[in-house]
Amino acid sequence: MIPGMKQFLIAVFPMLLLARVTSVSADEAKDIERITKIEREWSESFVKHDASVPQRVEAEDFTMVDPDGKLLNKAEDIKNMTGDVVFTASKVDDLKVRIFGDTAVAVGVSSVKGHDKKNDISGQYRWTDTFVKQNGEWRTVASQGTFVKK
């Protein structure tokens, strides 16, 4: 080995590895931007009672685990959104999106204000949404939300 090569490799290899891990292709950046936009529109749709957003964003075979642990399909999720639950505010925070080919995982926190007939459901919820690119469009196939206790 060339003198000093080992020290050079020890110094440079971690930087090269880090550069690969943190670099995102232009296509991935566009996908991350698109999913971020979807997540924000979806959040705003709860306040507006706009069922067209989940109707468009959720895949036909969508499943959701709600904060109470109930498993909902697309129709049940949309019915919940337009039913007795009233949201007066919903804001997405701490959103991270990772792309894996035609699959993406979004993890975030939503700060919401709202109530149903019996309970105040205001607070923070940490959630995970799994997206799949179908016919060139990102659709969420699974979602899970957890109430964050303070």
Side-chain angles (χ1 to χ4, degrees):
M1 184 174 274
I2 300 171
M5 181 62 95
K6 183 176 180 182
Q7 290 80 5
F8 174 77
L9 291 175
I10 290 171
V12 172
F13 183 72
M15 290 185 285
L16 293 173
L17 186 59
L18 182 61
R20 171 59 192 125
V21 170
T22 59
S23 68
V24 176
S25 73
D27 288 340
E28 286 177 320
K30 286 179 186 176
D31 288 336
I32 289 169
E33 184 179 319
R34 178 66 187 128
I35 291 170
T36 298
K37 183 178 178 189
I38 290 168
E39 291 290 7
R40 296 198 189 294
E41 288 173 350
W42 203 0
S43 178
E44 292 168 7
S45 74
F46 287 98
V47 176
K48 297 175 183 177
H49 280 272
D50 182 2
S52 71
V53 176
Q55 184 66 42
R56 173 177 44 87
V57 171
E58 295 175 7
E60 291 307 312
D61 60 348
F62 172 79
T63 56
M64 176 184 187
V65 178
D66 78 4
D68 294 327
K70 289 191 298 188
L71 186 62
L72 305 173
N73 63 29
K74 180 177 182 173
E76 293 165 331
D77 182 49
I78 291 171
K79 183 179 178 188
N80 263 358
M81 178 183 186
T82 58
D84 297 330
V85 178
V86 175
F87 290 96
T88 58
S90 180
K91 181 182 174 216
V92 175
D93 296 308
D94 195 25
L95 177 62
K96 297 196 179 21
V97 178
R98 296 179 301 164
I99 306 294
F100 304 95
D102 285 343
T103 304
V105 176
V107 177
V109 174
S110 288
S111 300
V112 303
K113 291 183 182 179
H115 61 85
D116 60 20
K117 285 185 176 180
K118 301 176 186 175
N119 302 305
D120 181 4
I121 59 170
S122 300
Q124 287 191 322
Y125 294 82
R126 182 165 299 280
W127 44 264
T128 302
D129 291 333
T130 304
F131 289 82
V132 174
K133 196 177 259 189
Q134 298 175 335
N135 300 321
E137 296 292 327
W138 287 104
R139 302 278 185 259
T140 185
V141 294
S143 184
Q144 184 278 327
T146 304
F147 181 71
V148 178
K149 294 184 180 181
K150 290 186 178 186

